[in-house]
Amino acid sequence: MEGNAMATDGRKIVVAMDGSEYANFAFKWYMKHIYRHGDHVVLIYCPEYHAVHARFVEVDITLVAEQIEEEQKKTREFLEHLAEKLKEYGIGGKVKSESGNPGEVIVRVAEEEDADLIVTGSRGLGIVRRTFLGSVSDYVLHHSHVPVIITRHSS
């Protein structure tokens, strides 16, 4: 086999990460149950900045700018943490961050990366909350063109 062919032989796995215990459980579950040497893992993070400007009735542009900068700093630190996680486990792959609706972003990144599988956690929202708020895992499950594994962490 040629050198380049070997690089593409591994599976491409997208794992949704948001810093929650549910996402961490999903990553650990993937590592324990289905990880194979040679997998290329894309850890995807969708920062949610909408909370920054939803708090202000009167807009103080300096305060808003400070809040946005703080959120961006937290995002950079979290992405560095995810990159360290890949190194720690000795996994080939990368970390991506994209803004937008998390479910839509996860599905789009899986398509762009030509993923073989998506792994995500479930927060276990009740029927009423899921009906009104929607569920990232439900969206991914129903819109993905590749298999999806949804892990359920019992708190």
Side-chain angles (χ1 to χ4, degrees), residues 16-40:
M17 300 296 291
D18 64 4
S20 71
E21 63 186 279
Y22 307 100
N24 290 330
F25 178 81
F27 177 80
K28 289 176 183 174
W29 190 93
Y30 159 74
M31 289 303 300
K32 181 177 180 180
H33 296 284
I34 59 175
Y35 168 77
R36 281 193 230 155
H37 182 72
D39 280 358
H40 177 84

Side-chain angles (χ1 to χ4, degrees), residues 103 107 111 118 120 130 135-148 150:
V107 170
E111 289 173 1
I118 298 172
T120 186
R130 187 171 43 246
S135 164
V136 172
S137 56
D138 281 349
Y139 182 92
V140 172
L141 180 65
H142 290 97
H143 292 87
S144 174
H145 297 291
V146 299
V148 176
I150 302 171

